[in-house]
Amino acid sequence: MKNDKNKVFIFDTTLRDGEQAPGASMNHQEKLEIAYALERLGVDIIEAGFPVSSKGDFGSVKEVARYIKNSTVCGLARSLTKDIDAAAEAVKNAQRPRIHVFLATSRIHLEHKFKKSQEEILNMAVEAVKYARRKIGDIEFSPEDASRTEKEFLYRILEAVIKAGASTVNIPDTVGYSTPQEYGDVIAGICNNVPNINKAIVSTHCHDDLGLAVANSLAGVVNGARQVECTMNGIGERAGNASMEEIVMAVKTRADFYGLSTNINTKEFYRTSRMVSKATGFIVPPNKAIVGANAFRHESGIHQDGILKEKRTYEIMDAEDVGGPSNEGLVLGKHSGRHAFKDRLKALGITLTEAQMDQAFERFKDLADKKKEIFDDDLITLVDEAGNTSKGFCLLEDLVYSSGSHIKPKVKVTLKFKGKTFKKNSSGDGPVDASYKAIESIIKIRAKLLDYSIQSVTSGKDALGRVTVKVLVGDQSVIGHGASTDIIEASAKAYINAINKAMTLQSVKS
Ligand code: KIV
Ligand code: ZN
């Protein structure tokens, strides 16, 4: 990959390190959709998975490699021939395949994990890179725990792997231990002391255990790194990886300071962030920089007044630049016509077929009857929701419940299941529990609720509530979503959405 010296390559590892976040596993379809979104975003390299780790991972990497045309597709491998064989096989059909080989190099890993000397590790790394290079032309090497590796050894191993054929050397702060000053010094030390470093691109890979992943990555870039490894929403192992949207927007907003650019189409951030959140079930905190619901909202009167006088008094970026909902808030209401509805969806980058548009407009009218003001976030949820609930084995037709401080909660659920209508009364600890029991007894499925969360889509007492559930069906854990102005109904929809997904996965397998 040729580099213009002011360009920073974005290497996204949402589908690999991101998926290593506890509870973030995604299915094939979700991974492919995210890969398409990353390609639209303009990501240079997509690390699609760790092919040797499971059949499922191997299959997803292979599929991403097959369909993605504009980004390099990369598979991770330990420095073992069986890993490299699996990675090479999985990425070989990509337009631009890459293998990412890694091996730990810090004293603590050598002594406790491998019980090997530095010389043995150096030889293993060189042999692995040579082996991988014979299979695929683009090889990246990572000395795992690089930031805690002795400098002289780090320089030596990097020189050797570059000589063996690595064209990218990635420097992981695996345990998120570095400070920005230290990490910047590590990168500067590599650029100044590895004799053949001009033959490779230096890359950052920072974890967020001390909340420093973005600051460390940027310190790396300032000191000569030209590839950044990151994830959407900063998801990843433990506290996560450096967040792509924060790094890219820092480089863009402070171009005066960094003097660098990326290929990223930042207008795709909001949409991609919501997609990753939906697939993983990890909610984006409202105060999350760049993609949080409050990232561009102003509450204080002083700020609002300043903004009305001159936007730049309190805003350093435009919400539109990251594809966020318009700051003006209210967009549509009960009297808005189909034309205005369609125009607003278009402005949000949402395209629907005529049939989908008819359905979405009907839902919009229903919502407008319950909710006076319809915001951009409501529209995004409404369209999402149509995708969640209009297909599948099972559809919620009606839900009636009674509940109170001194009465036993009761529900009556009407479901359309495999073409027939079923009704079931049930009671439970609360109306959500009662409705889940009714659903399970109609579908005759044993499901275990692992996680449940509820978020309001916008502000206001009449706001839509969005429920996300994680459900274990057999040995399959699935995420489901549902939204409604009635949170019990939203809960039932989320549960049904998860069960539909599990049943789809099971029918694909059998
Ligand atoms: O954090 C880490 O060290 C990694 C490597 C596999 C690159 O994810
Ligand atoms: Zn990592």
Side-chain angles (χ1 to χ4, degrees):
M1 197 178 266
K2 269 215 72 56
N3 197 7
D4 134 20
K5 74 181 186 4
N6 295 329
K7 162 91 185 300
V8 179
F9 290 118
I10 298 298
F11 176 116
D12 178 274
T13 182
T14 305
L15 299 176
R16 199 278 298 171
D17 224 346
E19 210 212 9
Q20 280 175 225
S25 60
M26 293 171 249
N27 66 39
H28 248 47
Q29 187 57 29
E30 288 163 338
K31 285 189 182 176
L32 192 59
E33 277 170 21
I34 289 174
Y36 278 128
L38 294 171
E39 186 181 44
R40 266 199 309 274
L41 199 54
V43 157
D44 300 285
I45 305 108
I46 298 173
E47 186 163 55
F50 187 8
V52 83
S53 67
S54 70
K55 267 194 187 155
D57 230 36
F58 178 86
S60 319
V61 177
K62 206 167 168 58
E63 203 152 326
V64 171
R66 180 166 162 219
Y67 290 111
I68 294 300
K69 299 290 173 228
N70 301 324
S71 313
T72 294
V73 177
C74 175
L76 183 70
R78 289 168 299 183
S79 292
L80 301 173
T81 52
K82 67 168 180 170
D83 284 40
I84 296 168
D85 290 342
E89 186 57 31
V91 298
K92 72 175 185 201
N93 293 327
Q95 208 88 353
R96 277 180 283 273
R98 175 183 291 192
I99 301 181
H100 177 188
V101 180
F102 75 100
L103 184 63
T105 49
S106 63
R107 181 77 59 194
I108 188 165
H109 281 246
L110 264 55
E111 282 174 6
H112 298 280
K113 211 167 85 179
F114 295 127
K115 303 202 184 332
K116 284 193 191 299
S117 69
Q118 288 187 337
E119 287 322 301
E120 287 172 301
I121 290 292
L122 190 141
N123 286 336
M124 257 180 94
V126 167
E127 288 314 313
V129 169
K130 279 188 184 159
Y131 183 73
R133 186 70 174 74
R134 285 201 290 273
K135 292 179 172 266
I136 299 283
D138 180 357
I139 304 301
E140 166 170 335
F141 178 78
S142 286
E144 190 190 3
D145 206 16
S147 56
R148 294 193 301 171
T149 298
E150 288 154 44
K151 297 281 187 302
E152 291 314 315
F153 182 52
L154 184 61
Y155 301 155
R156 229 155 43 81
I157 198 165
L158 292 178
E159 181 182 359
V161 294
I162 294 170
K163 201 161 154 222
S167 43
T168 303
V169 285
N170 178 47
I171 311 302
D173 182 28
T174 303
V175 290
Y177 182 72
S178 270
T179 68
Q181 181 73 49
E182 280 171 347
Y183 190 75
D185 287 349
V186 171
I187 301 292
I190 289 167
C191 294
N192 295 327
N193 292 287
V194 176
N196 53 0
I197 199 68
N198 60 338
K199 296 202 166 62
I201 290 173
V202 180
S203 167
T204 67
H205 180 110
C206 299
H207 279 270
D208 210 29
D209 300 66
L210 294 173
L212 294 170
V214 168
N216 285 344
S217 307
L218 291 168
V221 161
V222 167
N223 284 282
R226 286 296 176 268
Q227 175 181 288
V228 171
E229 300 200 353
C230 45
T231 59
M232 261 327 289
N233 300 340
I235 65 165
E237 186 85 43
R238 306 181 308 280
N241 288 60
S243 127
M244 186 206 306
E245 62 279 12
E246 293 179 23
I247 291 170
V248 169
M249 288 313 287
V251 167
K252 181 172 177 175
T253 309
R254 296 305 312 275
D256 60 320
F257 178 78
Y258 292 106
L260 299 167
S261 66
T262 70
N263 265 342
I264 300 296
N265 172 10
T266 60
K267 287 192 174 8
E268 290 289 327
F269 272 146
Y270 197 78
R271 186 146 68 119
T272 314
S273 162
R274 291 307 179 265
M275 189 185 276
V276 169
S277 166
K278 198 174 161 209
T280 55
F282 284 15
I283 285 165
V284 179
N287 62 327
K288 167 82 179 63
I290 317 298
V291 289
N294 290 347
F296 293 91
R297 282 192 186 140
H298 301 271
E299 189 73 26
S300 134
I302 297 173
H303 288 203
Q304 287 172 351
D305 179 58
I307 280 178
L308 287 175
K309 290 177 176 139
E310 166 54 52
K311 212 172 165 190
R312 290 287 170 241
T313 49
Y314 288 102
E315 277 192 2
I316 60 165
M317 299 170 274
D318 292 324
E320 293 75 36
D321 270 359
V322 300
S326 89
N327 208 13
E328 284 76 45
L330 172 65
V331 282
L332 298 175
K334 194 172 171 165
H335 301 294
S336 308
R338 192 185 160 92
H339 200 74
F341 175 70
K342 205 169 168 179
D343 272 2
R344 197 57 219 155
L345 289 186
K346 199 170 157 212
L348 290 168
I350 299 171
T351 43
L352 298 177
T353 62
E354 273 310 302
Q356 287 168 330
M357 185 61 76
D358 288 345
Q359 273 186 7
F361 188 61
E362 208 174 296
R363 282 167 180 269
F364 163 71
K365 284 291 181 189
D366 283 349
L367 183 62
D369 274 340
K370 295 179 188 155
K371 194 174 184 298
K372 223 167 76 201
E373 301 170 325
I374 310 273
F375 299 87
D376 285 348
D377 264 333
D378 292 321
L379 293 179
I380 294 169
T381 306
L382 184 126
V383 172
D384 248 20
E385 181 63 11
N388 287 345
T389 55
S390 64
K391 52 183 190 259
F393 297 84
C394 178
L395 276 176
L396 180 69
E397 293 213 317
D398 195 30
L399 176 77
V400 182
Y401 61 89
S402 59
S403 180
S405 306
H406 305 291
I407 57 166
K408 192 160 177 62
K410 287 196 183 119
V411 301
K412 182 172 171 198
V413 169
T414 310
L415 284 189
K416 190 156 206 166
F417 180 49
K418 295 188 176 167
K420 287 194 189 141
T421 299
F422 295 85
K423 291 182 194 296
K424 183 82 196 169
N425 292 308
S426 189
S427 58
D429 291 337
V432 173
D433 182 44
S435 59
Y436 286 8
K437 281 185 175 137
I439 294 164
E440 282 169 25
S441 92
I442 293 175
I443 307 180
K444 305 216 176 340
I445 205 167
R446 282 209 65 74
K448 186 173 174 201
L449 182 67
L450 300 176
D451 207 358
Y452 173 99
S453 60
I454 182 156
Q455 236 191 340
S456 107
V457 172
T458 54
S459 53
K461 286 189 210 137
D462 61 353
L464 275 175
R466 179 169 34 216
V467 171
T468 302
V469 292
K470 188 170 190 182
V471 179
L472 190 68
V473 184
D475 58 357
Q476 187 89 50
S477 114
V478 273
I479 307 277
H481 305 270
S484 170
T485 47
D486 179 321
I487 58 172
I488 309 301
E489 185 179 276
S491 305
K493 283 181 172 175
Y495 205 58
I496 290 170
N497 178 232
I499 290 175
N500 273 333
K501 277 193 198 168
M503 289 166 80
T504 308
L505 290 173
Q506 276 163 12
S507 70
V508 170
K509 272 192 210 159
S510 58

